[in-house]
Amino acid sequence: MVEELLTAAIAAGVGVVAYAVTAARVVKQYERGVVFRFGRLRRGVRGPGFTLVVPGVDRLRKVNMQIVTMPVPAQEGITRDNVTVRVDAVVYFKVVNAADAIVEVEDYRFAVSQMAQTSLRSIIGKSDLDDLLSNREQLNQGLELMIDSPAVGWGVQIDRVEIKDVSLPETMKRSMARQAEADRERRARVINADAELQASKKLAEAAAVMSEQPAALQLRLLQTVVAVAAEKNSTLVLPFPVELLRFLERAAPAAQPPPPPPAPPRAEAGPQDADGTGDRGPQGTA
């Protein structure tokens, strides 16, 4: 009798242990458990820790509540200004309602991925190329709203959407490079012209000052010579300004002009002879 009771107690203990092992479940901190009993959703979501279910009756589904990083495959489309581009993005989302994520949609990850691809193509068609390249923050916000609207009913919350890269055709890259180069050259020419204008005004002011003081030009010339000589050149060309010659000419005393040379003596004519010839002086006798 005692042996039979002991055997029954051992069997009951083994059954309880087997039942506990079969019914025991552990839900991790970042998970939530959804229980289905005979296919019907039980109220309440099992929190993290140790929990029990009825073996053969209940079925526990665990849902990850962490933020999921999902890359969106590159989508090719035509922008509003007729440029073909390839754009890829990344979506950050998390489950906020575990029951809706299991009941309302078959696979919430696949659903979010397809919605992100569709929304990305829609954004490409509504945007210009300049917006895709320089105004990404606003496009990210619009893309996030487009994905988040249907995802709310799935128990999913879109945390952030980022456009990673915009790929352009090679011909478009070369055209943009030429455009940027031309714009930089235009700005450089404008800056040089402005510098020449300012320099001409300053040179005009300096010339006006030097015209009042001619010695200032000589001082400026000496400063230029010193600057050139500092470079250790083997040949030094020293210009001699005409203004300096004029200054030296005005400073020198005026020289007296030389007296004119005396005129040569002229011969005087005598009284004319009977034959009309002049006196030619004494003549010899035959």
Side-chain angles (χ1 to χ4, degrees):
M1 185 66 180
V2 177
E3 293 179 357
E4 294 178 356
L5 293 175
L6 183 59
T7 303
I10 293 174
V14 172
V16 170
V17 172
Y19 176 81
V21 171
T22 306
R25 297 290 188 274
V26 176
V27 181
K28 298 179 181 180
Q29 181 65 38
Y30 54 86
E31 295 177 337
R32 297 296 183 269
V34 180
V35 178
F36 292 89
R37 177 166 294 178
F38 294 112
R40 289 180 64 90
L41 178 66
R42 292 292 304 273
R43 292 185 177 180
V45 178
R46 305 292 176 90
F50 182 79
T51 185
L52 294 174
V53 295
V54 180
V57 178
D58 294 341
R59 183 183 177 186
L60 180 67
R61 295 275 308 267
K62 298 178 182 180
V63 180
N64 193 331
M65 307 296 289
Q66 292 176 313
I67 295 178
V68 180
T69 303
M70 176 179 294
V72 181
Q75 302 297 313
E76 185 172 355
I78 301 177
T79 61
R80 191 166 55 183
D81 50 353
N82 298 326
V83 178
T84 303
V85 295
R86 288 177 59 89
V87 182
D88 56 350
V90 58
V91 181
Y92 302 89
F93 67 94
K94 63 180 178 180
V95 177
V96 294
N97 192 327
D100 290 344
I102 296 298
V103 176
E104 299 297 334
V105 63
E106 180 181 2
D107 187 351
Y108 66 90
R109 290 175 179 264
F110 181 75
V112 171
S113 175
Q114 294 300 312
M115 179 57 64
Q117 296 180 32
T118 305
S119 301
L120 184 57
R121 288 188 178 183
S122 179
I123 286 292
I124 293 174
K126 295 179 181 179
S127 304
D128 295 332
L129 179 61
D130 293 339
D131 295 335
L132 290 175
L133 297 177
S134 61
N135 196 15
R136 292 189 182 182
E137 189 64 28
Q138 185 176 358
L139 295 180
N140 292 338
Q141 295 177 0
L143 188 59
E144 179 180 347
L145 291 176
M146 294 180 64
I147 302 175
D148 189 60
S149 298
V152 172
W154 306 334
V156 177
Q157 178 183 353
I158 304 300
D159 188 70
R160 190 173 182 84
V161 181
E162 293 285 347
I163 295 177
K164 293 197 303 181
D165 188 24
V166 178
S167 300
L168 301 175
E170 293 298 328
T171 56
M172 180 58 63
K173 290 181 180 179
R174 290 193 293 268
S175 300
M176 294 178 66
R178 289 195 299 268
Q179 179 183 0
E181 184 179 357
D183 184 67
R184 287 193 298 268
E185 185 177 358
R186 177 185 62 83
R187 286 182 294 177
R189 290 184 177 180
V190 170
I191 293 174
N192 289 334
D194 189 22
E196 291 293 338
L197 177 60
Q198 296 179 9
S200 63
K201 292 181 179 179
K202 295 299 181 182
L203 290 175
E205 295 177 3
V209 174
M210 290 182 180
S211 63
E212 298 177 359
Q213 298 293 334
L217 183 61
Q218 179 65 16
L219 295 177
R220 183 57 184 165
L221 176 60
L222 295 177
Q223 292 178 358
T224 305
V225 171
V226 172
V228 174
E231 299 180 359
K232 299 181 181 179
N233 294 327
S234 59
T235 304
L236 178 61
V237 179
L238 181 61
F240 201 77
V242 179
E243 288 79 3
L244 181 59
L245 294 177
R246 293 176 181 175
F247 174 75
L248 296 177
E249 182 180 356
R250 288 195 300 269
Q256 296 294 334
R266 299 176 61 184
E268 295 181 358
Q272 295 182 355
D273 297 335
D275 55 358
T277 59
D279 188 8
R280 297 183 180 180
Q283 299 179 356
T285 58

